[in-house]
Amino acid sequence: MELEQQLDRFVRAHLGAQARVTALEEADGHAGLTFLFDVADGPDTRSHVLKLAPQGVRRSGNTDVYRQAPLLRALHAQGLPAPAVPFAGEDEAWFGVPYVVMDRLPGITYQMWDPHPSLPRTAAFSHAAWGQAAQALPGIHSFDWQRHLPGWQQPQDLLEQVTRWRPIYLKAPEPAWIEAAEAVEQLLLKAVPAPADNPVGLFHGDYQPGNILYRDGVLTGVIDWELAGIGSQLLDVGWMLMMTDRTAWTDGPHWLPPLEPAEIVALYEDRMRRRFPAIPWFRALAGFRMGAIGCLNVRLHRKGQRHDPMWERVALGIPDLFGNARAVLEGRR
């Protein structure tokens, strides 16, 4: 009720006394809080998304909600599939925390484990969704961040993308997971791609159809940019390939096969008009990252600090996430 009142005051102050909030509901988000709401303004109704920073948490990286505003505005201005941001602020006067208000794009995300009932549950639709995602990514990676987003972030070091996960996976509740993670980490560090094989620019950070909107079978937008940054762009390609690896995931009731990894790579490379020999390394890094994330979240779930039964399903695949990453690095996949 408090948020509804805060949002109503905000809308009236920014859109006029006649505007009112309708259909407020909470949605999922990577960090902070995400809400969907409509604004009725006379005969017109507009749909928006409100993202709020989490209370009592240091604002850095994915918890710094406001940092998304300049990024999304720059992407939208360049015609890329990102939402417009009519309002954003670091001040805490309206909601007690920084905020971003976005236009809500049409469409529904595609979750391959259990697609929304309105989406076709067919292999053909799954292939089309993944194919469009692979073909849209080069447009994002071609974004001129130095021209359109100067000073937003310094490029992240690739070596740090490996070493940052050690304190995370060391929290694993299963000793075997730690042993497997350490083996993969050492292999990654021995084969870090050379700068020529590591294009640097904007990356999304969790690029896969679960964060992409589709309407009538057509990609309409890319959402959830909390993990975006400037750094190794092949992180996004590796993440897509890791997400398609069925051996690392417990199937949902309607799991549908995505494209084969080689098909995703071909679509991406064709649009980029070059080949990327380091993609297998980034695929292994993605499995290592997801395995480390699973180590921490399974621990939090089992200790009752962040209850979410989903992580027990992920736990079944953690050995394979690390095992598949090792196999890729050793040339066995």
Side-chain angles (χ1 to χ4, degrees):
M1 181 61 69
E2 180 184 6
L3 175 60
E4 187 173 359
Q5 294 172 346
Q6 292 172 330
L7 190 56
D8 187 66
R9 288 195 297 269
F10 178 87
V11 165
R12 291 175 184 272
H14 289 81
L15 297 177
Q18 76 288 349
R20 59 187 180 86
V21 175
T22 63
L24 175 63
E25 60 179 298
E26 188 169 358
D28 293 331
H30 281 296
L33 298 172
T34 304
F35 300 89
L36 310 178
F37 69 98
D38 293 341
V39 173
D41 188 356
D44 300 323
T45 299
R46 296 187 294 273
S47 297
H48 297 282
V49 178
L50 170 67
K51 285 187 177 285
L52 301 177
Q55 293 272 6
V57 176
R58 185 172 68 91
R59 289 160 196 157
S60 176
N62 65 327
T63 60
D64 184 1
V65 167
Y66 179 74
R67 72 185 285 270
Q68 296 174 57
L71 168 63
L72 295 177
R73 284 169 169 160
L75 292 172
H76 185 76
Q78 294 303 307
L80 290 166
V85 177
F87 309 108
E90 290 186 281
D91 65 275
E92 302 181 0
W94 294 104
F95 305 104
V97 292
Y99 65 92
V100 176
V101 176
M102 298 170 279
D103 288 348
R104 186 176 180 182
L105 297 173
I108 298 172
T109 58
Y110 178 67
Q111 308 289 344
M112 64 181 178
W113 293 277
D114 191 6
H116 190 275
S118 67
L119 297 176
R121 300 190 176 194
T122 63
F125 184 88
S126 179
H127 290 174
W130 282 90
Q132 289 181 61
Q135 291 175 315
L137 185 57
I140 294 170
H141 285 178
S142 298
F143 172 74
D144 189 344
W145 61 278
Q146 293 175 307
R147 177 182 178 186
H148 301 296
L149 207 60
W152 183 67
Q153 185 187 72
Q154 291 299 309
Q156 300 176 17
D157 179 66
L158 180 55
L159 186 63
E160 194 270 338
Q161 286 286 351
V162 180
T163 59
R164 63 177 292 194
W165 297 104
R166 181 172 179 80
I168 305 299
Y169 73 67
L170 287 176
K171 300 182 186 298
E174 305 284 346
W177 297 355
I178 296 176
E179 182 179 348
E182 288 179 326
V184 175
E185 181 180 27
Q186 291 306 308
L187 290 171
L188 287 167
L189 292 173
K190 289 178 181 178
V192 176
D197 296 325
N198 175 34
V200 172
L202 176 68
F203 65 86
H204 180 275
D206 188 7
Y207 191 84
Q208 41 92 10
N211 286 326
I212 295 174
L213 297 168
Y214 299 89
R215 184 180 187 183
D216 298 328
V218 177
L219 186 153
T220 57
V222 179
I223 61 173
D224 285 350
W225 291 83
E226 288 93 336
L227 302 177
I230 305 299
S232 302
Q233 295 181 307
L234 294 181
L235 289 168
D236 285 335
V237 181
W239 196 256
M240 286 188 73
L241 300 183
M242 179 273 297
M243 293 293 292
T244 67
D245 197 339
R246 186 166 189 167
T247 63
W249 303 103
T250 302
D251 295 356
H254 303 288
W255 198 95
L256 293 167
L259 289 178
E260 292 296 321
E263 295 176 286
I264 292 174
V265 171
L267 289 171
Y268 177 79
E269 290 184 330
D270 287 349
R271 288 289 177 97
M272 293 295 288
R273 298 185 179 180
R274 62 171 288 193
R275 297 294 176 257
F276 299 94
I279 283 179
W281 187 91
F282 283 92
R283 179 182 180 181
L285 175 61
F288 173 69
R289 290 170 60 204
M290 188 66 226
I293 291 168
C295 286
L296 173 61
N297 283 285
V298 171
R299 174 190 172 94
L300 293 174
H301 166 67
R302 291 180 180 177
K303 290 177 67 69
Q305 294 173 272
R306 192 182 299 166
H307 179 72
D308 188 344
M310 180 200 75
W311 289 107
E312 286 298 343
R313 291 179 57 199
V314 174
L316 299 174
I318 288 176
D320 287 320
L321 284 166
F322 291 133
N324 294 343
R326 182 170 183 170
V328 169
L329 292 166
E330 293 177 341
R332 294 185 283 110
R333 294 197 74 192

